[in-house]
Amino acid sequence: MSEHELEQLRLTSVQRRAVLALQQLVRSSYPSLPKHKFSCSADIARIYADRLGGLVHEVMLGLALNGRNEFMAEIELARGGRHGAALTVADALRPVVRAGASAFVLVHNHPGGDPTPSPEDIALTTAMQKPADLVSIPLIDHIIIGGRGGGFSSMLDLCIIQ
């Protein structure tokens, strides 16, 4: 949470320090990707395959990128069950805007192993493109990591994202 968001909660100083400490702990458990520049979908798949490929539930992440396609922040957008995670366009864009991104990439896993985009994956991706462009934070790619070493697919590489 940003400083502004913490102020809006009207927490006591003890509560505020606890939230900040918890945020620091959570941040330290994620992979460190400062100034990592992504040039292709394989770069992202290589980084996230080990972390997401073995999960038994779906996780949707947003990767906030700066104007040079360098990593700025990783945001967990949704967590679901074995067969999906619910996410709206607004739920995905809100934290990406807050992160100050110039562009973003969606990354999620398919626990069953097959990284082929589902109709729901394609619908979310196509629905997200226009609103993302309207706020000048384009969706660069949507990458699906297959579970248990199932490889990956890129909606940019599949020409679903133009």
Side-chain angles (χ1 to χ4, degrees):
M1 298 181 84
S2 69
E3 289 289 324
H4 176 71
E5 290 169 318
L6 286 173
E7 287 175 19
Q8 297 294 322
L9 294 175
R10 293 186 168 91
L11 300 173
T12 67
S13 62
V14 171
Q15 292 170 322
R16 189 177 181 145
R17 282 194 308 271
V19 169
L20 291 171
L22 180 59
Q23 283 182 284
Q24 182 59 38
L25 282 172
V26 169
R27 255 192 304 272
S28 66
S29 70
Y30 284 106
S32 178
L33 302 172
K35 295 298 178 193
H36 186 92
K37 184 172 184 167
F38 298 121
S39 60
C40 66
S41 57
D43 287 346
I44 296 170
R46 189 172 26 265
I47 291 168
Y48 285 94
D50 288 338
R51 189 157 142 232
L52 298 179
L55 298 178
V56 296
H57 59 279
E58 272 198 27
V59 174
M60 176 75 77
L61 302 174
L63 306 181
L65 306 176
N66 67 16
R68 293 178 300 278
N69 282 350
E70 294 171 336
F71 174 83
M72 290 176 57
E74 175 189 290
I75 307 151
E76 184 173 308
L77 301 172
R79 182 177 291 259
R82 261 189 93 64
H83 303 290
L87 181 67
T88 67
V89 171
D91 291 338
L93 284 177
R94 192 175 299 112
V96 171
V97 169
R98 270 193 220 127
S102 293
F104 72 108
V105 173
L106 293 175
V107 180
H108 84 279
N109 63 316
H110 279 179
D114 182 4
T116 304
S118 69
E120 294 83 6
D121 295 334
I122 294 169
L124 174 67
T125 302
T126 56
M128 191 163 305
Q129 284 185 278
K130 188 171 183 179
D133 288 343
L134 284 172
V135 295
S136 300
I137 305 174
L139 173 62
I140 303 282
D141 202 348
H142 182 168
I143 297 169
I144 302 169
I145 306 293
R148 295 170 283 177
F152 76 95
S153 65
S154 157
M155 293 208 201
L156 178 65
D157 296 347
L158 295 171
C159 298
I160 295 168
I161 293 177
Q162 302 296 325

